[in-house]
Amino acid sequence: MTSVPAHLDTTSRADELIALDERYGAHNYHPLPVVIAEASGAWVTDVDGRGYLDFLAGYSALNFGHQNPELVAAATEQLGRVTLTSRAFHHDQLGPFCRELAELTGTDRVLPMNSGAEAVESAIKLARKWAYRIKGVPENQAEIIVAGSNFHGRTTTIVSFSTDEDARAEFGPYTTGFTVTPYGDADAVEAAISERTAAVLVEPIQGEAGVVVPPADYLPRLRRLCDAHGALLIADEIQSGLARTGETLASAHDGVRADLYTLGKALGGGILPVSAVVGRDDVIGVLQPGQHGSTFGGNPLACAVGRAVIRLLSTGEYQQRSRELGAHLHARLGELIGRGVTEVRGRGLWAGVEIAEGGPAGRQASEALAERGVLCKETQANTLRIAPPLTICRDDLDKGIDTIAEVLAR
Ligand SMILES: *Cc1c(COP(=O)(O)O)cnc(C)c1O
Protein backbone atom coordinates (compact mmCIF):
# COMPACT_ATOMS: atom_id res chain seq x y z
CA MET A 1 0.00 0.00 0.00
CA THR A 2 1.50 3.35 -1.04
CA SER A 3 0.90 6.06 1.46
CA VAL A 4 0.69 9.74 0.56
CA PRO A 5 -0.62 11.52 3.65
CA ALA A 6 -3.75 13.39 2.58
CA HIS A 7 -2.54 16.66 4.12
CA LEU A 8 0.55 16.73 1.88
CA ASP A 9 -1.41 16.08 -1.29
CA THR A 10 -3.01 19.37 -2.32
CA THR A 11 -5.08 17.67 -5.04
CA SER A 12 -6.59 15.09 -2.68
CA ARG A 13 -9.47 13.34 -4.42
CA ALA A 14 -11.00 12.82 -1.00
CA ASP A 15 -11.82 16.53 -0.63
CA GLU A 16 -13.49 16.63 -4.05
CA LEU A 17 -15.56 13.52 -3.35
CA ILE A 18 -16.60 14.75 0.09
CA ALA A 19 -17.65 18.06 -1.49
CA LEU A 20 -19.84 16.19 -4.02
CA ASP A 21 -21.48 14.21 -1.25
CA GLU A 22 -22.08 17.41 0.73
CA ARG A 23 -23.52 19.23 -2.26
CA TYR A 24 -25.78 16.50 -3.72
CA GLY A 25 -26.40 14.01 -0.92
CA ALA A 26 -28.83 14.32 1.97
CA HIS A 27 -27.08 15.36 5.18
CA ASN A 28 -28.49 12.59 7.37
CA TYR A 29 -25.02 11.35 8.43
CA HIS A 30 -21.89 13.03 9.78
CA PRO A 31 -19.12 10.72 8.49
CA LEU A 32 -15.43 10.96 9.31
CA PRO A 33 -13.46 12.58 6.46
CA VAL A 34 -12.21 9.27 5.02
CA VAL A 35 -13.22 8.19 1.50
CA ILE A 36 -12.92 4.45 1.11
CA ALA A 37 -12.19 3.01 -2.31
CA GLU A 38 -11.22 -0.61 -1.58
CA ALA A 39 -11.24 -3.08 1.26
CA SER A 40 -10.07 -6.55 2.19
CA GLY A 41 -10.45 -8.42 5.47
CA ALA A 42 -10.10 -6.00 8.36
CA TRP A 43 -8.47 -3.31 6.21
CA VAL A 44 -9.83 -0.54 4.01
CA THR A 45 -7.92 1.75 1.63
CA ASP A 46 -8.95 5.32 0.90
CA VAL A 47 -8.93 7.08 -2.48
CA ASP A 48 -5.47 8.46 -1.74
CA GLY A 49 -4.05 5.01 -1.12
CA ARG A 50 -3.89 5.15 2.66
CA GLY A 51 -4.77 2.00 4.63
CA TYR A 52 -6.92 1.91 7.77
CA LEU A 53 -7.93 -0.84 10.17
CA ASP A 54 -11.72 -1.19 10.22
CA PHE A 55 -12.76 -1.34 13.88
CA LEU A 56 -16.45 -0.81 13.16
CA ALA A 57 -17.19 -3.46 10.52
CA GLY A 58 -20.34 -1.77 9.23
CA TYR A 59 -21.95 -1.96 12.70
CA SER A 60 -21.51 -5.76 12.52
CA ALA A 61 -22.69 -6.12 8.91
CA LEU A 62 -19.09 -7.08 8.11
CA ASN A 63 -18.62 -9.75 10.80
CA PHE A 64 -16.81 -11.93 8.22
CA GLY A 65 -14.60 -9.12 6.93
CA HIS A 66 -14.52 -7.18 3.70
CA GLN A 67 -14.39 -9.23 0.50
CA ASN A 68 -14.70 -12.49 2.38
CA PRO A 69 -13.62 -14.98 -0.34
CA GLU A 70 -16.33 -17.56 0.39
CA LEU A 71 -19.09 -14.96 0.46
CA VAL A 72 -17.85 -13.17 -2.68
CA ALA A 73 -17.64 -16.54 -4.46
CA ALA A 74 -21.22 -17.41 -3.48
CA ALA A 75 -22.44 -14.00 -4.68
CA THR A 76 -20.49 -14.21 -7.93
CA GLU A 77 -21.75 -17.69 -8.65
CA GLN A 78 -25.34 -16.63 -8.07
CA LEU A 79 -24.88 -13.43 -10.14
CA GLY A 80 -24.18 -15.69 -13.10
CA ARG A 81 -27.35 -17.76 -12.55
CA VAL A 82 -30.41 -15.76 -11.43
CA THR A 83 -30.64 -12.72 -9.16
CA LEU A 84 -34.35 -11.90 -8.87
CA THR A 85 -37.59 -13.68 -9.58
CA SER A 86 -40.03 -11.68 -7.45
CA ARG A 87 -42.03 -13.81 -5.06
CA ALA A 88 -44.60 -14.51 -7.77
CA PHE A 89 -42.56 -17.65 -8.51
CA HIS A 90 -40.49 -20.10 -6.50
CA HIS A 91 -36.70 -20.28 -6.91
CA ASP A 92 -34.12 -22.84 -5.92
CA GLN A 93 -32.39 -20.81 -3.14
CA LEU A 94 -35.36 -19.82 -0.96
CA GLY A 95 -36.39 -23.15 0.55
CA PRO A 96 -32.81 -24.16 1.41
CA PHE A 97 -32.10 -20.68 2.86
CA CYS A 98 -35.16 -20.85 5.12
CA ARG A 99 -34.40 -24.39 6.30
CA GLU A 100 -30.73 -23.65 6.97
CA LEU A 101 -31.48 -20.43 8.85
CA ALA A 102 -34.18 -22.14 10.93
CA GLU A 103 -31.72 -24.94 11.78
CA LEU A 104 -28.92 -22.51 12.65
CA THR A 105 -31.16 -20.54 15.01
CA GLY A 106 -33.14 -23.49 16.36
CA THR A 107 -36.42 -22.01 15.14
CA ASP A 108 -39.36 -23.30 13.08
CA ARG A 109 -39.90 -20.82 10.30
CA VAL A 110 -38.34 -17.85 8.47
CA LEU A 111 -39.82 -14.64 7.02
CA PRO A 112 -37.15 -13.12 4.77
CA MET A 113 -36.93 -9.35 4.31
CA ASN A 114 -34.17 -6.88 3.32
CA SER A 115 -33.23 -4.17 5.82
CA GLY A 116 -33.14 -4.54 9.57
CA ALA A 117 -35.92 -2.00 10.03
CA GLU A 118 -38.13 -4.08 7.74
CA ALA A 119 -37.48 -7.15 9.85
CA VAL A 120 -38.51 -5.25 12.99
CA GLU A 121 -41.61 -3.85 11.25
CA SER A 122 -42.47 -7.40 10.17
CA ALA A 123 -42.05 -8.70 13.72
CA ILE A 124 -44.37 -5.95 15.01
CA LYS A 125 -47.00 -6.85 12.40
CA LEU A 126 -46.67 -10.56 13.24
CA ALA A 127 -47.03 -9.90 16.97
CA ARG A 128 -50.14 -7.77 16.45
CA LYS A 129 -51.85 -10.23 14.11
CA TRP A 130 -50.94 -13.10 16.46
CA ALA A 131 -52.39 -11.13 19.40
CA TYR A 132 -55.74 -10.66 17.61
CA ARG A 133 -56.04 -14.08 16.00
CA ILE A 134 -54.49 -16.38 18.61
CA LYS A 135 -54.27 -14.55 21.94
CA GLY A 136 -57.69 -12.93 21.56
CA VAL A 137 -56.77 -9.29 22.21
CA PRO A 138 -59.66 -7.01 21.08
CA GLU A 139 -58.98 -5.43 17.67
CA ASN A 140 -56.64 -2.40 17.73
CA GLN A 141 -55.81 -2.78 21.43
CA ALA A 142 -52.58 -4.76 21.24
CA GLU A 143 -49.65 -3.26 23.14
CA ILE A 144 -45.96 -3.87 22.61
CA ILE A 145 -43.58 -3.16 25.49
CA VAL A 146 -40.21 -1.77 24.40
CA ALA A 147 -37.10 -0.48 26.18
CA GLY A 148 -35.78 3.06 26.55
CA SER A 149 -32.64 3.95 24.55
CA ASN A 150 -33.69 1.31 22.01
CA PHE A 151 -32.51 1.26 18.43
CA HIS A 152 -34.67 -0.76 16.05
CA GLY A 153 -34.38 1.25 12.81
CA ARG A 154 -35.73 4.37 11.17
CA THR A 155 -39.24 3.78 9.85
CA THR A 156 -42.12 5.97 11.02
CA THR A 157 -43.55 3.27 13.30
CA ILE A 158 -40.15 2.39 14.78
CA VAL A 159 -39.15 5.99 15.52
CA SER A 160 -42.57 6.41 17.16
CA PHE A 161 -41.20 4.50 20.17
CA SER A 162 -37.64 5.82 20.05
CA THR A 163 -36.45 7.80 23.08
CA ASP A 164 -33.79 9.54 20.99
CA GLU A 165 -35.24 12.96 20.14
CA ASP A 166 -33.01 13.34 17.05
CA ALA A 167 -34.45 10.10 15.68
CA ARG A 168 -38.04 10.90 16.66
CA ALA A 169 -38.81 14.62 16.73
CA GLU A 170 -40.87 16.13 13.89
CA PHE A 171 -41.66 12.78 12.28
CA GLY A 172 -45.12 12.52 13.84
CA PRO A 173 -47.97 11.81 13.95
CA TYR A 174 -46.67 8.69 15.65
CA THR A 175 -47.83 5.07 15.66
CA THR A 176 -49.48 4.23 18.98
CA GLY A 177 -49.53 0.94 20.88
CA PHE A 178 -46.04 1.00 22.41
CA THR A 179 -45.10 1.29 26.08
CA VAL A 180 -41.54 2.32 26.89
CA THR A 181 -39.84 0.88 30.01
CA PRO A 182 -36.28 1.58 31.17
CA TYR A 183 -33.77 -0.88 29.65
CA GLY A 184 -32.66 -3.50 32.14
CA ASP A 185 -35.69 -2.91 34.41
CA ALA A 186 -37.78 -6.09 34.55
CA ASP A 187 -39.90 -4.64 37.38
CA ALA A 188 -41.10 -1.92 34.99
CA VAL A 189 -42.05 -4.58 32.43
CA GLU A 190 -43.87 -6.49 35.15
CA ALA A 191 -45.84 -3.34 36.00
CA ALA A 192 -46.67 -2.65 32.33
CA ILE A 193 -47.52 -6.14 31.06
CA SER A 194 -51.21 -7.05 30.73
CA GLU A 195 -53.66 -9.24 28.83
CA ARG A 196 -53.42 -6.71 25.99
CA THR A 197 -49.64 -7.16 25.68
CA ALA A 198 -48.80 -8.78 22.34
CA ALA A 199 -45.05 -8.75 22.84
CA VAL A 200 -42.01 -7.46 24.65
CA LEU A 201 -39.44 -6.25 22.11
CA VAL A 202 -35.81 -5.81 23.27
CA GLU A 203 -32.21 -5.88 22.13
CA PRO A 204 -30.32 -8.51 24.21
CA ILE A 205 -27.45 -5.99 24.22
CA GLN A 206 -28.12 -2.40 23.11
CA GLY A 207 -25.54 -1.59 20.43
CA GLU A 208 -26.48 1.94 19.43
CA ALA A 209 -26.97 2.97 23.06
CA GLY A 210 -23.27 2.19 23.65
CA VAL A 211 -23.01 -1.63 23.83
CA VAL A 212 -25.09 -1.77 27.01
CA VAL A 213 -25.33 -5.23 28.62
CA PRO A 214 -28.43 -5.59 30.83
CA PRO A 215 -28.40 -7.20 34.32
CA ALA A 216 -28.03 -11.00 34.12
CA ASP A 217 -31.59 -11.66 35.28
CA TYR A 218 -33.24 -9.20 32.87
CA LEU A 219 -33.86 -11.45 29.86
CA PRO A 220 -34.72 -14.52 31.99
CA ARG A 221 -37.28 -12.42 33.90
CA LEU A 222 -38.74 -11.05 30.66
CA ARG A 223 -39.04 -14.64 29.45
CA ARG A 224 -40.94 -15.66 32.58
CA LEU A 225 -43.19 -12.58 32.45
CA CYS A 226 -44.04 -13.25 28.80
CA ASP A 227 -44.83 -16.88 29.61
CA ALA A 228 -47.01 -15.90 32.56
CA HIS A 229 -48.99 -13.37 30.50
CA GLY A 230 -49.12 -15.18 27.18
CA ALA A 231 -47.03 -12.52 25.43
CA LEU A 232 -44.30 -13.00 22.85
CA LEU A 233 -40.67 -12.24 23.58
CA ILE A 234 -39.03 -10.66 20.53
CA ALA A 235 -35.25 -10.36 20.55
CA ASP A 236 -33.80 -7.87 18.08
CA GLU A 237 -30.48 -9.57 17.28
CA ILE A 238 -29.78 -7.52 14.16
CA GLN A 239 -26.55 -6.17 15.65
CA SER A 240 -25.91 -8.58 18.54
CA GLY A 241 -26.56 -11.78 16.60
CA LEU A 242 -24.64 -13.99 14.18
CA ALA A 243 -21.48 -14.52 16.28
CA ARG A 244 -20.74 -10.91 17.26
CA THR A 245 -20.88 -11.73 21.00
CA GLY A 246 -19.37 -15.23 20.80
CA GLU A 247 -22.74 -16.98 20.40
CA THR A 248 -24.91 -17.33 17.31
CA LEU A 249 -27.61 -15.45 19.24
CA ALA A 250 -26.60 -13.14 22.10
CA SER A 251 -29.68 -14.14 24.14
CA ALA A 252 -28.06 -17.57 24.54
CA HIS A 253 -25.58 -16.01 27.01
CA ASP A 254 -28.54 -15.55 29.35
CA GLY A 255 -29.99 -18.98 28.57
CA VAL A 256 -33.07 -17.38 26.99
CA ARG A 257 -34.99 -18.42 23.88
CA ALA A 258 -37.15 -15.77 22.26
CA ASP A 259 -40.38 -16.49 20.34
CA LEU A 260 -39.22 -14.31 17.46
CA TYR A 261 -35.77 -13.04 16.54
CA THR A 262 -35.00 -10.28 14.08
CA LEU A 263 -31.78 -10.78 12.14
CA GLY A 264 -30.05 -8.55 9.59
CA LYS A 265 -26.70 -6.85 9.13
CA ALA A 266 -24.21 -9.78 9.02
CA LEU A 267 -26.84 -12.02 7.38
CA GLY A 268 -26.02 -10.23 4.11
CA GLY A 269 -22.29 -10.86 4.52
CA GLY A 270 -21.54 -7.15 4.00
CA ILE A 271 -22.54 -7.63 0.36
CA LEU A 272 -26.24 -6.79 0.23
CA PRO A 273 -29.08 -6.18 2.67
CA VAL A 274 -30.58 -9.45 3.92
CA SER A 275 -32.82 -9.61 6.97
CA ALA A 276 -35.33 -12.02 8.44
CA VAL A 277 -37.74 -12.71 11.24
CA VAL A 278 -37.22 -16.25 12.53
CA GLY A 279 -39.24 -18.00 15.19
CA ARG A 280 -42.27 -19.97 16.21
CA ASP A 281 -44.44 -21.71 13.69
CA ASP A 282 -47.73 -20.58 15.25
CA VAL A 283 -46.64 -16.91 15.15
CA ILE A 284 -45.04 -16.64 11.70
CA GLY A 285 -47.78 -19.00 10.54
CA VAL A 286 -50.47 -16.33 11.07
CA LEU A 287 -49.54 -14.64 7.78
CA GLN A 288 -51.64 -15.58 4.76
CA PRO A 289 -50.97 -14.68 1.10
CA GLY A 290 -51.34 -10.97 0.44
CA GLN A 291 -50.98 -9.91 4.07
CA HIS A 292 -47.28 -9.01 3.99
CA GLY A 293 -44.45 -9.02 1.47
CA SER A 294 -41.52 -7.40 -0.28
CA THR A 295 -40.40 -7.40 -3.92
CA PHE A 296 -36.80 -8.12 -2.97
CA GLY A 297 -37.29 -10.10 0.27
CA GLY A 298 -35.89 -13.60 -0.15
CA ASN A 299 -34.47 -12.95 -3.62
CA PRO A 300 -32.07 -15.55 -5.08
CA LEU A 301 -28.92 -13.44 -4.66
CA ALA A 302 -29.82 -12.59 -1.05
CA CYS A 303 -30.57 -16.23 -0.28
CA ALA A 304 -27.35 -17.49 -1.89
CA VAL A 305 -25.24 -15.01 0.12
CA GLY A 306 -27.29 -15.73 3.26
CA ARG A 307 -26.70 -19.46 2.80
CA ALA A 308 -22.94 -18.86 2.55
CA VAL A 309 -23.12 -16.79 5.77
CA ILE A 310 -25.00 -19.63 7.47
CA ARG A 311 -22.31 -22.11 6.29
CA LEU A 312 -19.61 -19.95 7.91
CA LEU A 313 -21.62 -19.71 11.13
CA SER A 314 -22.35 -23.45 11.20
CA THR A 315 -18.65 -24.20 11.73
CA GLY A 316 -18.67 -22.39 15.08
CA GLU A 317 -15.28 -20.92 14.16
CA TYR A 318 -16.44 -17.29 14.21
CA GLN A 319 -18.27 -17.64 17.51
CA GLN A 320 -15.05 -19.06 18.97
CA ARG A 321 -12.89 -16.32 17.45
CA SER A 322 -15.22 -13.73 18.95
CA ARG A 323 -14.93 -15.34 22.39
CA GLU A 324 -11.13 -15.65 22.27
CA LEU A 325 -10.28 -12.33 20.63
CA GLY A 326 -13.04 -10.69 22.68
CA ALA A 327 -11.47 -11.86 25.95
CA HIS A 328 -8.20 -10.32 24.79
CA LEU A 329 -9.90 -7.08 23.69
CA HIS A 330 -11.74 -6.69 26.99
CA ALA A 331 -8.64 -7.53 29.06
CA ARG A 332 -6.59 -4.91 27.25
CA LEU A 333 -9.29 -2.21 27.21
CA GLY A 334 -9.90 -2.93 30.90
CA GLU A 335 -6.33 -1.78 31.59
CA LEU A 336 -7.39 1.73 30.50
CA ILE A 337 -10.05 2.04 33.21
CA GLY A 338 -9.00 4.87 35.52
CA ARG A 339 -6.56 6.07 32.85
CA GLY A 340 -8.81 8.03 30.51
CA VAL A 341 -11.61 5.46 30.40
CA THR A 342 -14.36 5.05 32.99
CA GLU A 343 -16.06 1.87 31.78
CA VAL A 344 -15.76 -0.87 29.16
CA ARG A 345 -18.91 -2.84 28.36
CA GLY A 346 -19.77 -5.63 25.96
CA ARG A 347 -19.39 -9.28 25.12
CA GLY A 348 -17.11 -11.04 22.68
CA LEU A 349 -15.43 -8.90 20.07
CA TRP A 350 -17.75 -5.98 20.79
CA ALA A 351 -17.07 -3.16 23.21
CA GLY A 352 -18.44 0.20 24.31
CA VAL A 353 -15.68 2.35 25.76
CA GLU A 354 -16.77 5.22 27.99
CA ILE A 355 -14.29 8.12 27.72
CA ALA A 356 -13.50 9.92 30.99
CA GLU A 357 -14.32 13.58 31.52
CA GLY A 358 -11.36 15.74 30.51
CA GLY A 359 -10.51 13.36 27.66
CA PRO A 360 -11.48 13.92 24.03
CA ALA A 361 -15.19 13.90 23.13
CA GLY A 362 -16.27 10.80 21.21
CA ARG A 363 -16.15 12.60 17.89
CA GLN A 364 -12.65 13.98 18.55
CA ALA A 365 -11.45 10.53 19.60
CA SER A 366 -12.85 8.99 16.39
CA GLU A 367 -11.10 11.68 14.34
CA ALA A 368 -7.81 11.17 16.19
CA LEU A 369 -8.06 7.41 15.64
CA ALA A 370 -8.75 7.88 11.92
CA GLU A 371 -5.71 10.17 11.62
CA ARG A 372 -3.70 7.29 13.12
CA GLY A 373 -5.21 4.74 10.76
CA VAL A 374 -7.97 3.14 12.84
CA LEU A 375 -11.62 3.56 11.94
CA CYS A 376 -14.29 3.39 14.59
CA LYS A 377 -17.10 5.71 15.54
CA GLU A 378 -18.58 7.28 18.61
CA THR A 379 -22.11 6.29 19.55
CA GLN A 380 -23.55 8.69 22.09
CA ALA A 381 -21.37 11.69 22.93
CA ASN A 382 -18.57 10.02 24.89
CA THR A 383 -18.71 6.35 23.93
CA LEU A 384 -16.60 4.60 21.33
CA ARG A 385 -18.14 1.49 19.78
CA ILE A 386 -15.55 -1.12 18.84
CA ALA A 387 -16.59 -4.03 16.61
CA PRO A 388 -13.80 -5.26 14.33
CA PRO A 389 -14.52 -8.02 11.80
CA LEU A 390 -14.43 -11.41 13.54
CA THR A 391 -11.82 -12.45 10.97
CA ILE A 392 -9.25 -9.94 12.27
CA CYS A 393 -5.89 -11.46 13.27
CA ARG A 394 -4.56 -10.92 16.77
CA ASP A 395 -1.68 -8.68 15.61
CA ASP A 396 -4.06 -6.32 13.83
CA LEU A 397 -6.37 -6.32 16.84
CA ASP A 398 -3.43 -5.37 19.05
CA LYS A 399 -2.37 -2.67 16.60
CA GLY A 400 -5.83 -1.11 16.84
CA ILE A 401 -5.97 -1.38 20.63
CA ASP A 402 -2.49 0.21 20.90
CA THR A 403 -3.80 3.14 18.87
CA ILE A 404 -6.92 3.46 21.04
CA ALA A 405 -4.69 3.46 24.14
CA GLU A 406 -2.49 6.16 22.54
CA VAL A 407 -5.52 8.39 21.94
CA LEU A 408 -7.40 7.80 25.20
CA ALA A 409 -4.85 6.96 27.92
CA ARG A 410 -4.16 9.67 30.50
C1 LIG B 1 -29.04 -1.64 12.63
C2 LIG B 1 -30.14 -2.09 13.48
C3 LIG B 1 -31.47 -2.08 13.04
C4 LIG B 1 -31.88 -1.49 11.71
O1 LIG B 1 -31.28 -2.11 10.62
P1 LIG B 1 -31.23 -1.35 9.21
O2 LIG B 1 -30.69 -2.39 8.26
O3 LIG B 1 -30.32 -0.17 9.36
O4 LIG B 1 -32.62 -0.96 8.87
C5 LIG B 1 -32.45 -2.58 13.88
N1 LIG B 1 -32.13 -3.08 15.09
C6 LIG B 1 -30.86 -3.10 15.55
C7 LIG B 1 -30.58 -3.69 16.89
C8 LIG B 1 -29.83 -2.60 14.77
O5 LIG B 1 -28.58 -2.58 15.23
Side-chain angles (χ1 to χ4, degrees), residues 115-118 120 151-154 203 208 236 238-239 265:
S115 70
E118 277 179 304
V120 173
F151 184 83
H152 297 290
R154 300 294 197 169
E203 298 154 86
E208 213 67 21
D236 182 349
I238 289 168
Q239 195 165 154
K265 294 201 164 96

Side-chain angles (χ1 to χ4, degrees), residues 345-360:
R345 299 177 296 264
R347 274 197 212 278
L349 201 57
W350 197 22
V353 176
E354 211 61 49
I355 304 167
E357 238 172 88

